[in-house]
Amino acid sequence: MNWSDAHNVVEMLRQDTRLYLPTLSTRLGFSCSRVEHLLNQLVAYLPRDECYLEVGVLHGRTLEAASINNDEKTLIGCDPCIKYGPLSLPLSLPPNVIFLQQSYQDVSFPAPIGVVFYDADHGEYETAEFFRLIEPSLADEAVVVLDDWDRVSVRAGAFKGTDCDPRWRLLREMPEYTDGNGAPHWFGYFFGVGIWGFKR
C-alpha cells in the first residue's frame, strides 16, 4: 500500500468534524468508530494483490468494519483467543474475511500484507518483536496501524523495534493523550493509533 494513500485517508478523516462517526460494526469490542473508518478506508485503497492483516481480533469488530464495501479484498485476522477464551471467537464473518485461531507468527499469508492493524499484546517487548517478525510478510510498501499508541509501552516497543531498520518510518500519530488509563474521548482514536510505514 502506498504511504501517500494512507496520508490521504488520515487527512480525509481529519476533515470530518462530526463529533461521532457512525459505527460500521455492531459487534462487541474495545475500539471506536473513528478507528473503524480509518481501517475501512485503508482497505479501500489496498491493491487487490495485497492483503489486510489484523493481529488481535477479539469478537471481530474492527475486522468486520475493515471489510465493509471491500468485498474484492482479502482480509485475515489472527488471534489464538487465549486472553478472553473461546467465547471471544469472531463468528459469521463476511466471506472475504479469513479468521485463524492462531498466532500471526505461525501463518503463511496468501499475498503480501499491505495493511496491518496490530491490537495484540501491548507490552514493550511484544510490540518490538511484532515489527521484527512481520517484516518478511509485508509488501514492498506497507502500512501498520498500531493500536493504543498512548501507552508508554507501545511507543517504546515500536521505537525499539524500528530504530535499527531505516525501512520503517512513523507516518502519522492520532493520539488521545490519555496514556491508556483514562476514559477515552469517543470522538477521537480511543487511546490513540500510530501509523507506521515500511518500504523496501
Side-chain angles (χ1 to χ4, degrees):
M1 177 178 191
N2 293 330
W3 293 359
S4 59
D5 291 335
H7 285 300
N8 289 338
V9 169
V10 171
E11 287 304 312
M12 177 191 66
L13 287 170
R14 285 176 60 89
Q15 292 170 31
D16 189 332
T17 57
R18 288 178 287 176
L19 188 58
Y20 301 100
L21 295 185
T23 60
L24 297 176
S25 173
T26 58
R27 293 172 185 262
L28 294 174
F30 297 117
S31 194
C32 67
S33 61
R34 200 162 294 269
V35 172
E36 290 180 18
H37 283 267
L38 171 68
L39 299 175
N40 179 267
Q41 289 303 305
L42 289 172
V43 173
Y45 277 94
L46 186 68
R48 290 187 184 189
D49 61 346
E50 298 176 7
C51 66
Y52 168 88
L53 171 64
E54 187 163 309
V55 180
V57 175
L58 194 57
H59 293 290
R61 177 177 175 171
T62 48
L63 186 56
E64 179 181 69
S67 73
I68 292 174
N69 296 324
N70 289 316
D71 300 341
E72 72 284 1
K73 310 294 174 69
T74 300
L75 294 87
I76 301 168
C78 293
D79 193 327
C81 299
I82 295 170
K83 183 174 182 180
Y84 296 102
L87 293 178
S88 67
L89 281 169
L91 304 174
S92 303
L93 290 165
N96 61 318
V97 177
I98 302 164
F99 172 71
L100 302 170
Q101 190 178 349
Q102 60 193 90
S103 172
Y104 72 94
Q105 296 100 315
D106 301 326
V107 175
S108 295
F109 299 101
I113 300 167
V115 177
V116 183
F117 180 48
Y118 181 81
D119 191 14
D121 193 315
H122 296 307
E124 180 178 338
Y125 173 80
E126 290 76 14
T127 303
E129 280 291 279
F130 161 75
F131 278 96
R132 186 180 67 79
L133 295 173
I134 200 62
E135 177 272 315
S137 300
L138 294 176
D140 288 344
E141 191 168 354
V143 170
V144 171
V145 179
L146 190 58
D147 197 44
D148 285 351
W149 185 243
D150 283 352
R151 294 181 189 270
V152 173
S153 60
V154 171
R155 292 193 307 278
F159 291 123
K160 182 181 287 184
T162 60
D163 273 348
C164 296
D165 191 338
R167 298 173 298 176
W168 287 102
R169 181 181 303 166
L170 178 60
L171 301 178
R172 305 297 290 256
E173 295 181 273
M174 286 87 90
E176 281 280 2
Y177 303 110
T178 62
D179 193 28
N181 295 313
H185 309 292
W186 293 103
F187 50 85
Y189 284 91
F190 203 67
F191 302 146
V193 295
I195 298 184
W196 286 81
F198 175 83
K199 190 180 292 187
R200 294 190 197 284

